[in-house]
Amino acid sequence: MKYAIILATTLGFAGAALAADGPTMEQCKGGSKADYSKTWSAADFKKACDSMMKK
């Protein structure tokens, strides 16, 4: 049981870290801005937003 809790916690943190790598819905609706280039390239921003908008 202890290992199941540790595994679930680890997977939760990993999922949160992956979600933080992409732009938010509000950022996608606002479009790519110059200050986003510190985090994402224009192509990565567009790809992430395109896949998010299809859902």
Side-chain angles (χ1 to χ4, degrees), residues 19-41:
D21 288 340
T24 64
M25 182 64 79
E26 290 79 26
Q27 289 170 328
C28 287
K29 288 180 181 177
S32 183
K33 298 192 180 3
D35 57 329
Y36 297 164
S37 66
K38 298 173 192 166
T39 310
W40 311 287
S41 69

Side-chain angles (χ1 to χ4, degrees), residues 4-18:
I5 293 171
I6 292 170
L7 179 64
T9 303
T10 304
L11 290 176
F13 285 128
L18 287 174

